[in-house]
Amino acid sequence: MSLYRKVAVALSGGVDSSVAMSLLLKNPQVKQVVALHMSNWDARDEDDAPSRCYQQDVNDVEAVCRHLSDTPLHKVSFASEYWTNVFEPLIDGLMQGKTPNPDVGCNKIVKFGAMKAYAHRHLDADWIATGHYARLFNWKYDINDSISDKSAQAVVEQTLEKYAWLYKWNESPLLLASADKTKDQSYFLAGVKGESFHNVMFPLGELYKTESTTAGTFRQKTVRQIALDENFPNASKSESMGICFVGKRRFKSFISQYLPSVPPHGNFVDVETGEIVGQHNGSIFYTIGQGAKISGASQKWFVVGRRNVDTSTVLVCQGTHHPALYTDELVIEKNAFCWIGGSIPDPLSNRRLHVSCRTRHLQPLLDCEIEIQDSFIVVRLHKPLRAITPGQMAVFYIGDICLGGGMIYDIGESYYDRGMDLPKFIHPSGHNDLSVKYNLGSR
């Protein structure tokens, strides 16, 4: 019996979306599968653009479709939507001293906005699927069918025992982290309204990219292994990197082509002494926590932020674990936060809510308390965190359930400004940050 009449798969040319489409083609509950490839950036407008990368993606998409029983392929461009609603806000944010994340806008505006609408209206698809590593729990469909994320049901049922207010979010699917925590992309999906996840599938939600840790003697095939075993033409292709739909670029030279004016040059200033320690050619090219390349410096310097009264001055400090890089508080504009369930959680109406938080992709989750204060959501972390950056996303979780996310509006005073020492053990700032074992007392 076909529960899913026609599914449109967003096919990028990479391994993940290719395997997602293959899984759907082999599923007896899916009657028809079509591929949809988007080209949302015209590299010909760039200086020295690597257009061959885009053409390679197109070649890979066509080869995969041929390999998978000549799956019908449709090509479409949402360049206008991407430029107006994703790329221009990126430029505007940079000019305001923030560091926006375009991947969040890509998902919200393009993939689960324009692309989903196109698939429904022009391809007559009743479902869309992508190669995202995430899971969905849909209250309204049979979660026992072979496509739904089976483990999501157990996670949600267990969570509901303690957080009964989640029942009020039953009008739209819940977003969950993927089984493979090393690939989880729920952070980038946290800006998408839950209602946009209706009739959406993530076939890779319970799979692992390169390693399987399933219990017992049974070992689940990995995504990469599926591609290799089935002789996909792109089975060994490396993962895409860089700006969403644009790809990997040298950020400074690339972004300079689209700035409305040339950023003023300025000074690097030591946050402790106030002394000038070097010069830079534009503060917008630097973000908090980034290494500051100062010519002739004998020690490494790191960016603390811009001086508010003089945005051409970049404050820096010595040492990657300097207290000036750490804070334990951030704020988000209440109206700019996307709650996946469509409404503010009931407990926040009159008290604080204990959740977990991350401020960058794959960062280990950190416990925190959130509360509403006037027009802001105030977040108090249980440990100081390095390089929290305005413009980036703060995303909240209860266990594996992603509650939603919003752009960081501002951060609290640093530990240096408050005259405080860092705790002996600090929280990692990213998934590959060895400071999870960094003992400050041993310096």
Side-chain angles (χ1 to χ4, degrees), residues 190-404:
V192 180
K193 292 182 178 180
E195 61 190 31
S196 297
F197 288 132
H198 281 303
N199 293 61
V200 171
M201 302 176 188
F202 295 143
L204 306 186
E206 295 191 39
L207 300 182
Y208 290 76
K209 181 63 177 280
T210 56
E211 63 180 51
S212 178
T213 57
T214 50
T217 57
F218 172 75
R219 291 192 64 81
Q220 185 183 46
K221 272 192 177 182
T222 66
V223 171
R224 182 71 72 179
Q225 192 61 51
I226 291 173
L228 291 169
D229 288 352
E230 298 185 13
N231 297 313
F232 282 19
N234 61 347
S236 299
K237 187 174 183 178
S238 59
E239 296 186 29
S240 60
M241 304 292 287
I243 301 173
C244 180
F245 291 126
V246 176
K248 193 172 184 178
R249 298 289 193 274
R250 293 185 177 181
F251 182 78
K252 180 181 174 182
S253 59
F254 167 74
I255 213 72
S256 294
Q257 301 173 51
Y258 303 96
L259 299 177
S261 59
V262 178
H265 292 204
N267 297 317
F268 287 118
V269 172
D270 187 338
V271 69
E272 291 191 18
T273 66
E275 295 180 357
I276 295 174
V277 294
Q279 286 75 42
H280 64 78
N281 53 9
S283 61
I284 71 165
F285 301 122
Y286 296 91
T287 188
I288 297 174
Q290 176 185 351
K293 297 180 180 179
I294 299 177
S295 178
S298 58
Q299 297 185 42
K300 288 186 177 180
W301 293 82
F302 294 88
V303 175
V304 172
R306 291 203 245 182
R307 181 173 288 166
N308 291 334
V309 295
D310 177 10
T311 55
S312 65
T313 293
V314 175
L315 299 174
V316 293
C317 64
Q318 286 188 334
T320 188
H321 293 293
H322 192 288
L325 292 168
Y326 285 82
T327 185
D328 55 14
E329 186 172 289
L330 61 96
V331 294
I332 306 165
E333 290 181 294
K334 183 175 70 174
N335 293 335
F337 194 90
C338 174
W339 296 104
I340 300 293
S343 61
I344 295 175
D346 277 358
L348 278 179
S349 62
N350 55 19
R351 60 183 174 87
R352 296 179 181 180
L353 179 63
H354 179 89
V355 298
S356 297
C357 174
R358 62 167 48 111
T359 60
R360 62 185 62 187
H361 176 49
L362 295 182
Q363 181 184 66
L365 292 172
L366 177 60
D367 288 343
C368 67
E369 305 264 335
I370 60 175
E371 66 175 327
I372 305 290
Q373 289 187 6
D374 299 323
S375 58
F376 294 97
I377 299 172
V378 178
V379 183
R380 295 183 177 87
L381 305 169
H382 287 193
K383 292 182 180 179
L385 196 56
R386 183 184 186 275
I388 301 177
T389 306
Q392 289 287 295
M393 288 281 286
V395 178
F396 303 148
Y397 296 80
I398 291 178
D400 274 358
I401 298 177
C402 178
L403 302 180

Side-chain angles (χ1 to χ4, degrees), residues 166-181:
L166 280 168
Y167 279 112
K168 293 191 175 182
W169 280 12
N170 65 1
E171 293 299 317
S172 59
L174 294 179
L175 175 66
L176 284 78
S178 63
D180 187 347
K181 296 302 185 286

Side-chain angles (χ1 to χ4, degrees), residues 12-13 37-39 52-64 66 73 75 237:
S12 66
H37 178 69
M38 296 176 284
S39 56
R52 63 184 182 277
C53 295
Y54 167 70
Q55 188 56 51
Q56 183 60 54
D57 287 339
V58 174
N59 294 342
D60 289 338
V61 164
E62 293 173 346
V64 167
R66 287 193 299 269
L73 171 63
K75 300 175 184 176
K237 187 174 183 178

